[in-house]
Amino acid sequence: MQVPLLDLKKQYEPLRDQIRAKFDEIADCQHFILGPEVESLEREVCIYTGANHAIGVSSGTDAELAILMALGAGPGDAVVATPYTFFATAGGISRLGARIIFVDIDPATFNICPDRLRECLEAHRGEKIKAIIPVHLFGLSCRMDEIRALAGARGIPIIEDAAQALGAVYAGSAGLQKCGAIAEFGFYSFFPSKNLGGFGDGGMIVCRDEPIAAKIRSLRNHGMERHYHHHAVGGNFRLDALQAGILRVKLPHLDQWSAMRRANAAFYREEFARAGADVALPAEAVPGHHIYNQFVIRAPRRDELLRHLAASGIGHAIYYPIPLHLQECFATLGYKPGDFPEAERAAKETIALPIFPELTPDQQRAVVAAISAFYKG
């Protein structure tokens, strides 16, 4: 049985008429950049996440960049991030000339480790740290109470990278909170493969305070407030109305899709337990809160398993094969192999399996059977 890693056509088919009607609506009004459709999506994201303010932008990458610009990050500053994430998390820091300080991950969750973060902040006590960027990787929340306590004690703002975690929930001291809307800033990506994906690039910033929201709104439009009056040098970070319209059609279905992903994850756990396959399954600290943008396992002989899955017609991916501190473009930071052992081990052992909502039980059984056959063969 051929099992794709992702099948977006199955999500589109039942929404086809609504999405095409939205295209016609926007085409008829001829308002394509920002405007009422984007403003409506921003309001709906605020309601969904509990955020005070939402600002639609051109991508998750540009979302992080705009927040850092609003904070004034630049040469002489440092920003703390994880080395085990998509490149854009660190790329935005570097583009502004700030220095990246990496912190190793928790081996169980793949998220930034609060214990290592505490050690890092102690070691860099005298430095000007503009922000800490915890990543809710694969749709699982970071340990935000501990991270917020560490950042708050030093007056450092937090930027939640929730690019993979729209709809994920954190159960902390303040009760249940949506990832991205817990700290001062957060952002989401609407890349097509995300749990809420558009038909191209798109992103959303959420934040607490009106003055900073106003500043970010200006920065996303070349630093312009009144027409052709520029108070700062911003960028072209604007969200298209067509993307906003598609996302508005999809957003009401997001919780159902997340529940289907969780059901698929639970089914995988049952099938892997029955098969006795020698793999480590994803951690889930609180049931019902992980949204499984990816279902990532640790596997012995990972690279051999990859070849076996490819030959068996099973979709898969590696997120991420090279930790960021070992990327060539960051060589000047001075990091070396062994500096972040958990990130390096994850890069060598992890593999993502199909987890999209419409995945069938038979497809999941085929995935588990292929992995079981590899280890028992």
Side-chain angles (χ1 to χ4, degrees), residues 80-159:
V80 176
T82 165
Y84 188 66
T85 182
F86 182 57
F87 178 83
T89 307
I93 302 167
S94 183
R95 281 177 64 183
L96 294 175
R99 187 166 70 87
I100 308 163
I101 299 175
F102 288 121
V103 172
D104 210 356
I105 59 170
D106 179 330
T109 66
F110 305 118
N111 289 332
I112 194 167
C113 177
D115 293 334
R116 302 291 83 76
L117 177 59
R118 180 182 296 105
E119 295 167 358
C120 169
L121 294 176
E122 287 294 327
H124 295 274
R125 182 175 289 276
E127 296 194 41
K128 188 179 178 183
I129 298 177
K130 276 288 186 179
I132 298 169
I133 307 181
V135 182
H136 303 297
L137 199 63
F138 306 138
L140 177 64
S141 176
C142 296
R143 290 154 56 185
M144 290 302 296
D145 278 351
E146 295 166 77
I147 294 169
R148 290 181 68 191
L150 291 168
R154 294 160 177 81
I156 304 171
I158 294 172
I159 304 171

Side-chain angles (χ1 to χ4, degrees), residues 45-46 48-51 111 134-144 148 158-172 175-189 204-207 254 262 288-292:
V45 168
C46 282
Y48 182 79
T49 62
N111 289 332
V135 182
H136 303 297
L137 199 63
F138 306 138
L140 177 64
S141 176
C142 296
R143 290 154 56 185
M144 290 302 296
R148 290 181 68 191
I158 294 172
I159 304 171
E160 295 177 69
D161 182 338
Q164 301 179 7
L166 179 59
V169 176
Y170 174 64
L176 300 182
Q177 295 175 287
K178 290 285 181 67
C179 291
I182 301 168
E184 295 91 330
F185 305 93
F187 65 89
Y188 308 103
S189 168
M204 186 72 70
I205 296 166
V206 292
C207 65
L254 180 58
R262 283 193 289 269
H289 293 174
H290 198 322
I291 61 164
Y292 292 102

